[in-house]
Amino acid sequence: MTIDYLGRLSFGGVLYPYFAFRVPAGFPSPAQDHLEQEISLDELFNLRAPHTYLVKVVGDSMVLAGIYDGDLLIVDRSREAKHGDIVIAALSNEPLVKRFCREGGLLVLRSENTKYSPRYVMESDELSIWGVVRFSVRCHDVA
C-alpha cells in the first residue's frame, strides 16, 4: 500500500449543518427538526494545521482496519507514534501506511490484511514516522 501526499490543510473552513440525531441505516426520518448547530470540518476532525496533512491511499494492505484503496487519510505529524497506532512512515525511503507495533525489543510495521507479511524494522533499515493517522474519509460515489 502506498500513499499520495495531497498537501497541508489550512484553517477557515466552511460551516456545515450538524444534526444531533444518529442516522439509522433503514427508513429515513425528517432531519430538519434535529438541526443542532453548524460546525466546520476543521472542528469535526480537530484539525491543527500546519501539523495536519492529507494523504490518499493506494492499495489494500489496511482493509481490516477499515482503510481502503482511494481513501483519504487525515494525519497528525505532531503526535508521537505509540504501539497500535496507524502511521504514515517511510521505511528505507518507501512511504507506507501501517500499524506501528513494538514486540519485545523490535519495531514492526503490520498490514491489516492477511495477504501481507509484517515488516520488521532491522538495524540496517531507515525508519521515519511522518505522522499518526487520525481519521479516514471514503468517497461512496460509484460514478
Side-chain angles (χ1 to χ4, degrees):
M1 178 173 277
T2 61
I3 56 171
D4 291 329
Y5 176 71
L6 299 178
R8 279 201 236 165
L9 298 176
S10 59
F11 286 111
V14 176
L15 292 177
Y16 295 96
Y18 174 71
F19 298 93
F21 71 97
R22 296 187 186 268
V23 179
F27 191 80
S29 70
Q32 195 61 33
D33 295 340
H34 300 282
L35 180 61
E36 190 72 20
Q37 63 183 349
E38 289 187 329
I39 62 170
S40 72
L41 292 179
D42 293 348
E43 179 182 332
L44 180 65
F45 291 127
N46 196 25
L47 302 178
R48 297 286 182 257
H51 303 292
T52 303
Y53 66 93
L54 304 174
V55 294
K56 191 169 188 175
V57 175
V58 178
D60 66 350
S61 72
M62 296 300 288
V63 294
L64 294 177
I67 298 173
Y68 296 89
D69 184 59
D71 282 0
L72 187 67
L73 301 180
I74 301 171
V75 183
D76 185 343
R77 61 187 174 118
S78 70
R79 296 181 84 149
E80 187 172 331
K82 61 183 185 319
H83 176 77
D85 283 342
I86 296 174
V87 299
I88 303 300
L91 182 60
S92 300
N93 293 319
E94 178 190 352
L96 40 82
V97 55
K98 298 288 179 221
R99 187 160 313 269
F100 180 82
C101 298
R102 294 182 187 275
E103 296 177 3
L106 298 175
L107 290 179
V108 184
L109 298 173
R110 293 198 169 279
S111 296
E112 292 286 337
N113 185 332
T114 56
K115 294 188 327 187
Y116 300 98
S117 299
R119 306 275 300 264
Y120 290 87
V121 180
M122 305 305 208
E123 274 188 40
S124 61
D125 291 329
E126 186 178 324
L127 176 66
S128 177
I129 303 297
W130 292 354
V132 175
V133 175
R134 299 280 292 131
F135 302 97
S136 62
V137 180
R138 180 171 310 116
C139 178
H140 294 278
D141 187 9
V142 293

